[in-house]
Amino acid sequence: MEAFPEVSKIKYEGPQSDNPLAFRWYNPDEIVEGKTMRDHLRFSVVYWHTFRGNGSDPFGAATMVRPWDDGTESLENAKNRVRVAFEFMEKLDVPFYAFHDRDVAPEGASLSESNSNLDAIADTLEEEQERTGIKLLWGTQNMFSHPRYMHGAATSCDAQVFAYAAAQTKKAIDISKRLNASGHVFWGGREGYYNLYNTDMKREVDHLGLLLNMAVEYADEIGFDGMFFIEPKPKEPTKHQYDSDAAACINFLRAYGLMDRFQLNIETNHATLSGHTMMHELEYAGMQGMLGSIDANTGDLLLGWDTDQFPTDIYLTTRCMLAILKYGGFTNGGVNFDAKVRRESFEPMDLFYAHIGGMDAFARGLITAAAIRADGGLEAMKTERYSSWDSGLGAEIETGSHGLKSLAEAAEGMGDIQLSSGRQEFLENYINRFI
Ligand code: XLS
Ligand code: NI
Ligand code: NI
């Protein structure tokens, strides 16, 4: 039985098409900068929002109509959901998906029951991956929903909870390996705090470093060679999440000796919650060789929480793709739609409209970014702007042949320094020519 009998495989029909079930920009086989759009964008659907999101919020009950889901936590229902998910992803023509352990398989009454539930569902996931060719972008462990994690997981005040989190992480890495995942994500669920009166921050952050080092050690032992990602987020659910932004994450990874095995998975809504733009976060990670993957969504300027909306803003996707292309594109990562339809968009068809819109927005961002890069105007402006560093005094400073004394001498004879305009408005207008 098909869950979406009214939908056939979504195809590219070009910008003139008025078919809401067609791509207007995403043309998977089209070559951009020497690679297909499919390989550039590596689109991924998330299991949690798309197949487990029920539309409930703190003010109201579930709204989503999902006729294939009987609403129980049975294995049968979980397996059926996997079939539906793969039908959806096949029709949407996405190459990847992502999940948490507890999204795909029900939590059991004991750890071993949870693990065997996960094994049973992994059988079905494996079958469907083989049938469709759709791959796992990344797996992860949900160490924030169960009440045992109320104080955090790796950063819990309770050592037994740390041990439980270690067990859950071990199993999740086993499943990622089994399903041949390209990566494995650590988003710091409840790794943070509400109040420092009761929190030993140093001890908690040390424990997080310990758990991640254990994960690396275990992955090496079993031969899981996917990339590990951490996903910065400044707040929610805790007031202060330890992995607050790209800079904090990179400092953490460096301090705990994890730089070689980890990269960042950067999410737009998290970037803006931390008071940065997505482009800032991508650039900060990229310049240190740590840009791995993105969780593609968007927040709302008027709402101060993680609304996880689908990205449709062409400026946003263009900026994302400018940064991603600049740093050489994705290797293990991709454009992962960590986004959910609004609770008022409760019909199954809304899942298609939402994803098609996000894919088209990113395809258009890719095309626009490539055109800007081909034109070269931004790069030329930057080259010119920093040209005083390319020869003479600037080059000498950069190569380390000066100290404060010799520069003080050089400054003596300089007279008035002539500066040039930063041309921000000129460049904003320039970008608009491509949009
Ligand atoms: C929550 C995070 C989460 C991660 C996966 O805000 O975005 O969904 O991506 O654990
Ligand atoms: Ni995310
Ligand atoms: Ni998020």
Side-chain angles (χ1 to χ4, degrees):
M1 261 280 281
E2 281 183 296
F4 310 100
E6 66 280 49
V7 183
S8 43
K9 193 165 186 142
I10 309 298
K11 297 214 173 65
Y12 172 72
E13 291 184 7
Q16 308 317 323
S17 173
D18 58 8
N19 176 3
L21 290 173
F23 297 120
R24 299 168 70 241
W25 300 92
Y26 180 56
N27 185 9
D29 295 314
E30 188 177 322
I31 306 284
V32 179
E33 292 198 11
K35 254 188 355 194
T36 62
M37 283 198 186
R38 183 187 285 105
D39 290 345
H40 269 292
L41 295 165
R42 293 168 59 89
F43 285 127
S44 164
V45 165
V46 306
Y47 212 93
W48 52 100
H49 289 312
T50 301
F51 299 104
R52 302 311 309 271
N54 64 14
S56 65
D57 72 8
F59 305 93
T63 58
M64 295 298 158
V65 172
R66 301 289 182 252
W68 57 84
D69 199 309
D70 68 14
T72 69
E73 285 297 321
S74 73
L75 269 182
E76 175 83 8
N77 191 33
K79 283 193 178 174
N80 186 47
R81 215 186 269 126
V82 172
R83 308 274 182 215
V84 174
F86 276 81
E87 180 195 331
F88 175 78
M89 296 188 289
E90 224 188 344
K91 288 183 168 168
L92 192 61
D93 198 12
V94 286
F96 293 100
Y97 72 115
F99 64 77
H100 301 84
D101 48 4
R102 301 297 181 252
D103 308 332
V104 289
E107 175 125 17
S110 64
L111 181 62
S112 65
E113 193 181 317
S114 297
N115 287 349
S116 79
N117 287 348
L118 195 49
D119 286 331
I121 298 303
D123 292 341
T124 316
L125 291 168
E126 198 167 32
E127 260 172 52
E128 289 292 296
Q129 285 188 192
E130 269 160 30
R131 182 182 68 76
T132 60
I134 294 170
K135 299 191 179 87
L136 183 56
L137 187 68
W138 46 262
T140 188
Q141 46 290 318
N142 176 333
M143 305 199 298
F144 43 90
S145 294
H146 193 281
R148 82 173 67 83
Y149 296 124
M150 67 171 75
H151 302 294
T155 66
S156 174
C157 48
D158 189 302
Q160 285 189 311
V161 173
F162 182 100
Y164 205 99
Q168 201 179 324
T169 302
K170 171 180 176 292
K171 183 68 185 176
I173 296 173
D174 286 336
I175 296 292
S176 281
K177 176 176 154 61
R178 173 173 173 196
L179 296 176
N180 215 1
S182 200
H184 190 89
V185 162
F186 293 85
W187 165 60
R190 292 181 192 273
E191 316 294 28
Y193 63 87
Y194 292 95
N195 195 311
L196 281 175
Y197 292 162
N198 66 6
T199 301
D200 187 337
M201 192 188 319
K202 166 88 168 72
R203 213 164 182 182
E204 293 200 0
V205 177
D206 280 352
H207 293 167
L208 187 57
L210 259 176
L211 187 87
L212 297 190
N213 271 288
M214 290 176 188
V216 169
E217 196 186 324
Y218 183 66
D220 290 347
E221 197 181 311
I222 64 168
F224 173 65
D225 55 10
M227 181 59 76
F228 281 138
F229 298 110
I230 59 176
E231 185 179 319
K233 183 175 186 181
K235 56 186 167 196
E236 198 197 34
T238 71
K239 175 163 101 169
H240 189 111
Q241 301 273 124
Y242 293 131
D243 298 334
S244 53
D245 63 3
C249 285
I250 292 172
N251 179 58
F252 166 82
L253 292 173
R254 215 187 297 277
Y256 292 92
L258 294 161
M259 290 291 280
D260 293 345
R261 202 59 176 74
F262 275 81
Q263 287 187 327
L264 302 188
N265 177 39
I266 299 189
E267 178 166 321
T268 315
N269 206 159
H270 299 180
T272 51
L273 284 177
S274 67
H276 302 307
T277 62
M278 179 63 164
M279 199 177 185
H280 167 91
E281 289 290 86
L282 294 173
E283 185 65 36
Y284 196 91
M287 76 183 187
Q288 310 209 33
M290 296 298 277
L291 173 52
S293 198
I294 69 169
D295 270 7
N297 64 15
T298 189
D300 186 302
L301 275 182
L302 302 184
L303 298 173
W305 65 92
D306 200 12
T307 57
D308 287 339
Q309 286 162 242
F310 277 84
T312 53
D313 179 343
I314 315 295
Y315 284 94
L316 169 66
T317 58
T318 298
R319 289 175 186 137
C320 287
M321 292 317 299
L322 274 172
I324 289 158
L325 292 175
K326 175 175 176 186
Y327 290 106
F330 296 120
T331 309
N332 292 283
V335 175
N336 180 52
F337 289 112
D338 191 354
K340 62 184 179 208
V341 290
R342 300 304 86 194
R343 75 194 288 274
E344 310 91 307
S345 306
F346 58 85
E347 295 173 13
M349 285 303 281
D350 291 305
L351 295 175
F352 277 100
Y353 299 140
H355 283 87
I356 290 170
M359 291 164 79
D360 264 348
F362 264 90
R364 198 163 167 189
L366 168 64
I367 293 167
T368 311
I372 293 168
R373 282 159 56 82
D375 186 74
L378 286 186
E379 275 321 295
M381 159 61 177
K382 273 190 210 168
T383 306
E384 174 59 27
R385 190 163 188 236
Y386 291 87
S387 58
S388 69
W389 294 93
D390 296 332
S391 59
L393 182 66
E396 287 167 27
I397 299 173
E398 275 196 351
T399 53
S401 33
H402 276 286
L404 292 185
K405 272 202 317 211
S406 62
L407 288 178
E409 274 160 35
E412 285 287 339
M414 264 175 197
D416 281 347
I417 302 172
Q418 300 298 314
L419 297 175
S420 355
S421 165
R423 299 255 188 273
Q424 177 171 325
E425 300 77 7
F426 173 93
L427 291 171
E428 286 166 346
N429 299 347
Y430 169 78
I431 293 294
N432 274 356
R433 280 170 33 202
F434 296 86
I435 301 274

